[in-house]
Structures are given as structure tokens and as C-alpha cells.
Amino acid sequence: MTSRTEEGSEEKWYHRASLYQIWIRSFADGNGDGIGDLYGVYGKLDYIASLGVDAIWFSPIYPSPNADYGYDISDYRNIHPDYGDLDQFDRVLHRAHELGLKIIMDLVINHTSDEHPWFLESKKGEENPYRDYYIWRKKPNNWNSFFGGSAWEYEGTRDQYYLHLFARKQPDLNMDNPRVREEIKGIIRFWLDRGVDGFRMDVINFISKREGLPDGIPWIPAVNGVMHFKDGPHLREYLSEFRAVCREYGDIVQIGEGPLTSARTARSYIAGEHPVMDMMISFDHMMADCLFTEYLPKPFSLVSMKKAMTRWQMTMADGGWNSLYLENHDHPRIISRYGSESHWKESGKALAVSYLFQKGTPFVYQGQEIGMTNIRFRSIREYLDIASIENFERFFTGQPMHKRLNRIHHSSRDSARTPMQWDGSEYAGFSRTEPWFSVNPNYHAINVAIEEQDPDSILQFYRLCLALRKKSRTLLWGEYREYYPRDDRIFTYTRSLGKNHYLILCSLSRLPSFARIPEEYRGRTARLVLSDQEPLSRFAHLDPAHYEREKLPGVILFRPYEARVYQVRFG
Ligand code: NOJ
């Protein structure tokens, strides 16, 4: 169903939607083998629906040797046996649809696994029909892989090197080969025929490499070749081909992951007469405390986080659309990172307010809604994520071990990948047997069961935020504006549509701070529709008419991580 938006463009289901991301291996184990699976997901669909989200994005659930936990696919048309089978997938899809939840699959087409039959054939030799499915060279260029070392691996059977922008076990597909693109279209159809509702497209802005694969800048680590493969010469053309297939099936959402892409470039894919995607996943706001990867940290700057968020908001304001997120499987947990574990509840809620009311489609990552935090291991051997291990081995190697481990603790993707904490029973209710990966020992205090009982929990707060957002056209379509961008403690932004305004104030400081009220709001009558420091029962109506009016002063003294949302009617 589509209708007209305030801007005159068509309103699609994903404009109004919020997404819940599942990283299946750690979500819920239904068959008792210690590994999350689709049986477990099936049992949790009611819970997911109860959050008020509208769709599930599955990180890859296909067969994979798991060199990069699913992002190295060996069969695009099946389900990893650890997670179930196609029949179970269909059951999940069907039940999800009954509950009003759409299903979005991860489409990883920049690379496959080196165990994918295409690659096994391709490496056999230059006579093989699959010889040009990958990028082979007699002489490698100087590009580095994102996971460290050269982006090229020698293959004896061909006496050639193949390109892998990520792990050695993730050879890059040659998208310039029309046969490869036909294969991709076949995969898209396969899943759309099954009834899925969209795709999140992994590192999609890397799929078209510059002809000749010129050398990159030698002295830049890791990303030295990026200007030759990011937003490449044929990207738009290839994406339109994939888009055309999706369009045959209706309003299929296409969400592109776009590392290192600017907001302007992202907009060019989304807005205009011939969009090739519906929204992009930006990384800019996730670099407010690091250089390129969380493993190269710098002090957290709220100012630079706000700047990145506002840049994307403003760039997409007219005809574009944003995806909104703070957590996913590629980053450590936000309370440990941008908030404070000692102000666990408040900072968890304030962080929710900081992004959920911006303009776009919000994403919530499993465990974020209960405030899960980073895991701390004592030895590097306990970490499993390839990026963490590679970073550990390549940077800061001269430092004492405790410092190096501390860096991993602050940066590892593994913190997002520990089993979901469902209750206080053994293994956090994730599994009946010992899970494949360590449960965070704080599961006794942080889990779904406790937060279901606590009327003021982070979980209930997420539900309220999502419900409030969904009810309001202003929060859906209203104009975004940021105030006091240089304030390094408080994030102040508004959403406005006609006379209806929302004023969102949120402190990301562990100190009491003065929140300034923007001039045009001072002295106006407002209604507090959400606060992270008051009983949530006060806001349960979701109807501003039930709330007391108050006159907005010039400044308000905020407690640490205090967050408020006011509704203000002008005129
Ligand atoms: C982005 C994915 O989100 C990440 O988990 C993966 O390692 C890389 N792409 C490579 O597929």
C-alpha cells in the first residue's frame, strides 16, 4: 500500500517501519545444540512483534564456512544446516507475515566464500567456464585487505592471484562479467519467489572496481585502494539491473551498506528519478570515537557524532531517506561505547532517544533493546571475530598485553555477538546446552525476563519510543533541525510538520549539564511526552492530550544521561 508523503513522493511501507536485526547464531537456540537457529527465531517472533518493529533483517543465514560468520557464503540458495533448512525458513517467513513482520535477507555479493562451487571451479584454470567469475591477475596491485595484509592471494592451480577485499576466504566476484550478474539476479528471484520483502546489500558500493585496478596510495593502511573500488564506474548500472528484478515483485526494499560513502553520493543512489536503492547504511556517525575502525580509537566526541548525523539528515531531507542505527553485528555495544555502564539504564535510554526520533527507518539490533554491554575476555584466544584477531595482530603490537586486550574489549565485534540474554537461567535462556560462544556474565542482571517485569526498563522504553514514533506523522515526515551543534554534552534536535513540533533533548554526558531550549521554543507551552528519568507509566497513553502542559524555560538542568521529548504546538 502506498500513499502520498508530505513531500509528494510515494510513501512506502519501509518509511513507516522499524527493523529488528537478527544475527542468528546468537539469537535463540531452538534445537538444543548450542547454536542459534530458525527454530529459536520461530519461538521468538511474538517477542519481536511485541517490540513494535515491522520487519526483521537477517544477517546471513546461508551455508558458510564461517570464516567471517556468514558473510562468506558457499550456497546462496539454501540455509546453513546449523540454522535449519528451507522448510523451516518458510515457516518463519509465513508466521512472521501473519504477525505483520516483513523479512529482509542479507545479500552478500561483493564476494563469496572460497568454498563456493563457483570459486572451486574458477580456480581450476583459464579454460574453466567459471574462470572469469572472480578477479584474477598475474601480478597483484598494492591494495590491502580490510582484514589486514595484501588483498591478493596466490592460487597455484592457476598460477595467478585472486582479489579479496576482505578475508582470504572471501574472494571478490567479478561483477563486470554479465554471467555473474545473471547469477545474482537468479539469487534475488529465488528469495523473492519465496516471499521475502527486501535485501540488505553488503558493502554494495564496492562491487564495481575501476578498470585496470590501479595501485592505491601506498602509505595508507588497510583502505589504500579504496578510491579504485568505492562507488565504482559501473555501480549505478549494475544496481539498476538488480533493482529492475526487485521492481517486478513490488515494493521490495533495498538497503545498501555503504562504508566510506559520503552522504551526497548515497543520496544520488536513493533520490531522483531513477533510484537504485531505498536507503543506505552510513558509517560516518560511528567514527566519532575512532579512525576508520573501533580498534584505532580517539576520544568520543558528541560534536562529531551529531555533525555526521545532521549531515546525513540534511542531505537526505529532500527526496532521500536515511537508515538510523547505533548498533549492529559490526560494532561493540553502545552503552559501553557511547554511554556508560555505570549509568547503564539512563545511558541506554538516552542513546535510544538520540537516534530513534530522527527522520528515517530505525534499526534495533538484537540485545540493544535490553541494554546488553561489551564482553571482556582474558585472553585473545577467546575472541572469535576475524577482524578483532587481525587488528590485535597488526596494530599496537609493542604495547603490554593488558593494554592490547583492553583495546579489544573496547572495540571487538564479538561484543555484539554473545548469546542473547533471555533470562537468568543457565546460559541466559539462550540454549539448553553450552552455547557456541560465551554468554556475557552480566546476564543475571541484564535479560529480557527481568526487563519484561520492570515497568521502567530499557526494553519498555524502546517499546514506547517505537510506538510514539509510529503514531506521529511529524516524527515520520517532519523536518529535522539540529540546535547547538557545538554543545559537547547535549544533543538537541527538532522535528516539525506544520504547527506540530517535537523538541528532543538528550544528554550524553555523565555530568549534570544545562540543556538550552532553542529560542523559538522558549516560553511556549509544551507537553512532556517522554522522559528517561520518570516512570514510564506516565507516558503510556501515547496521546499528548493526556499530558500536563508546561511553559518551556530558557534552560533546564539535566541529570546525567537525561533525555526528554516535548511536543509543542505552534500558533
Ligand atoms: C560488512 C558486514 O557487515 C561485515 O560483518 C563483514 O565482515 C563485511 N561486510 C564483509 O562481508
Side-chain angles (χ1 to χ4, degrees), residues 68 71 111 147 166 170 200 202-203 257 329-330 413 417:
D68 187 17
Y71 285 90
H111 44 267
F147 292 154
F166 292 89
Q170 293 169 297
R200 174 266 188 193
D202 190 65
V203 292
E257 189 202 28
H329 64 291
D330 282 337
R413 307 197 293 185
R417 301 174 178 191

Side-chain angles (χ1 to χ4, degrees), residues 21 23 57 59-60 67-72 106 108-111 146-147 165-167 170 200-204 206 257 259 281 283 328-331 385-387 413 417:
Q21 184 193 348
W23 198 80
W57 149 30
S59 271
D68 187 17
Y69 285 104
Y71 285 90
D72 47 323
D106 217 309
V108 186
I109 56 173
N110 177 67
H111 44 267
F146 282 95
F147 292 154
L165 291 182
F166 292 89
Q170 293 169 297
R200 174 266 188 193
M201 303 164 87
D202 190 65
V203 292
I204 199 66
F206 293 172
E257 189 202 28
I281 297 174
F283 280 61
N328 64 34
H329 64 291
D330 282 337
H331 304 281
D385 164 40
I386 182 168
R413 307 197 293 185
R417 301 174 178 191

Side-chain angles (χ1 to χ4, degrees), residues 60-84:
I61 55 177
Y62 319 97
S64 160
N66 280 337
D68 187 17
Y69 285 104
Y71 285 90
D72 47 323
I73 298 171
S74 52
D75 180 358
Y76 286 89
R77 296 166 189 245
N78 214 334
I79 300 294
H80 194 302
D82 283 350
Y83 308 145

Side-chain angles (χ1 to χ4, degrees), residues 474-510:
T474 306
L475 291 175
L476 181 61
W477 289 112
E479 187 186 323
Y480 167 96
R481 182 161 173 202
E482 191 203 341
Y483 293 85
Y484 312 120
R486 301 220 54 77
D487 190 322
D488 60 2
R489 296 186 182 182
I490 311 253
F491 189 3
T492 307
Y493 64 97
T494 57
R495 300 291 309 282
S496 58
L497 189 67
K499 291 182 176 162
N500 200 27
H501 292 234
Y502 283 88
L503 168 62
I504 295 113
L505 301 153
C506 109
S507 162
L508 287 186
S509 169
R510 61 186 73 207

Side-chain angles (χ1 to χ4, degrees), residues 420-464:
M420 177 75 182
Q421 294 164 205
W422 293 103
D423 59 39
S425 67
E426 202 181 10
Y427 310 130
F430 163 76
S431 175
R432 304 192 287 281
T433 36
E434 192 180 345
W436 73 281
F437 194 31
S438 308
V439 175
N440 193 316
N442 66 18
Y443 73 93
H444 294 287
I446 302 178
N447 66 57
V448 173
I450 291 186
E451 298 195 30
E452 288 285 10
Q453 299 309 315
D454 172 3
D456 294 315
S457 62
I458 296 180
L459 173 62
Q460 309 293 10
F461 191 79
Y462 266 89
R463 287 191 171 123
L464 209 53

